[in-house]
Amino acid sequence: MRSHLPGAVGVSRLSVYDTTAPDGLHGGTPHMHLTCSEGYVVLAGSGHVQTLSGEGYRETSLTPGTLAWFRPGTIHRLVNDGGLKLVVLMQNSGLPEVGDAVLTFPAGILGDPEVYQAAATLPGGPDLAPAYRRRDLAVTGFLAMRAAGPGAFEDFCRAAAALVAPRLADWRRRWEASALEVALETGRQLDALERSEISYLAHGGVSVLSEPTERGRHGMCGLLETYVPAV
């Protein structure tokens, strides 16, 4: 039996980086998702999320109890004012892990897929220095984009779409097997109820992960503890 989380979302706990970026703020790596909405439930600490989208630039305060979310096409950067910890909800679980996140590197890097991949890929291991270098490079590009105005944001969107184009067939297969399949299952359940067919209700039950599947992964915005159900 499939054991997707509800709606085939991804769930992680995130401790946001607290080291200093080039502009003197503490926090994560600005980036954009092209097909996935993302949400934050703030558990502890304080901070804010800087966003840049077709709506312009915005800063949203994050304090315990806040629920904030945004659509694809929103560049976002978490800023840690002290002890910021979140639960992250991610649409289309699995797609962000295979590239549905483009970092805001300077334009010269975005225009070369091989150079971009080299700059975006972390070597693994416990050393956080490569993650901070990647963050600082993306912050540099983000600050330049903000200063340049709406045209620079549109240029970034075009470059991001070009970067991910070779992966789209794989993304579609993953989406069809997860988020789309979960949505279609609801349709099949509605069809069954219209026929007064209740046999599928005998297959309910509880799935539990007593602890995160993966701890300490170097994410774009901080250290991740990720829950990945077996499917």
Side-chain angles (χ1 to χ4, degrees):
M1 180 181 297
R2 293 183 180 274
S3 57
H4 290 293
L5 287 166
V9 301
V11 177
S12 300
R13 292 190 304 207
L14 174 65
S15 298
V16 181
Y17 293 137
D18 59 3
T19 55
T20 306
D23 59 351
L25 299 178
H26 300 164
T29 306
H31 61 281
M32 173 193 284
H33 297 288
L34 279 71
T35 64
C36 299
S37 294
E38 183 173 356
Y40 300 143
V41 182
V42 183
L43 300 178
S46 63
H48 57 279
V49 57
Q50 299 179 335
T51 55
L52 185 62
S53 69
E55 298 176 345
Y57 177 72
R58 178 175 174 180
E59 294 190 2
T60 301
S61 178
L62 299 175
T63 56
T66 300
L67 170 62
W69 67 96
F70 38 85
R71 300 180 298 277
T74 306
I75 296 172
H76 48 289
R77 176 198 184 190
L78 279 169
V79 176
N80 186 353
D81 294 330
L84 186 59
K85 298 181 184 296
L86 316 168
V87 168
V88 179
L89 307 175
M90 183 65 69
Q91 182 187 13
N92 299 324
S93 179
L95 289 191
E97 291 77 10
V98 294
D100 177 43
V102 176
L103 285 70
T104 57
F105 292 149
I109 296 175
L110 287 168
D112 188 318
E114 292 186 3
V115 174
Y116 175 88
Q117 191 63 30
T121 302
L122 298 180
D127 183 12
L128 281 169
Y132 297 151
R133 287 194 295 269
R134 180 177 72 172
R135 183 269 314 274
D136 292 351
L137 186 62
V139 168
T140 299
F142 175 68
L143 295 175
M145 192 190 319
R146 276 177 50 190
F153 173 76
E154 183 175 346
D155 289 343
F156 173 82
C157 291
R158 292 185 186 280
L163 276 172
V164 305
R167 305 177 185 176
L168 295 182
D170 176 58
W171 290 8
R172 182 175 295 276
R173 287 190 293 270
R174 291 173 182 269
W175 166 71
E176 289 173 345
S178 57
L180 178 60
E181 173 60 24
V182 169
L184 292 175
E185 180 64 17
T186 300
R188 291 191 288 269
Q189 292 164 354
L190 290 169
D191 292 343
L193 290 172
E194 288 178 346
R195 300 191 303 269
S196 298
E197 171 57 63
I198 61 170
S199 61
Y200 76 90
L201 295 174
H203 301 294
V206 178
S207 299
V208 176
L209 289 173
S210 59
E211 60 183 23
T213 312
E214 184 179 16
R215 295 181 183 271
R217 183 161 63 87
H218 301 174
M220 282 172 282
C221 293
L223 294 176
L224 288 168
E225 296 181 340
T226 304
Y227 295 84
V228 183
V231 177

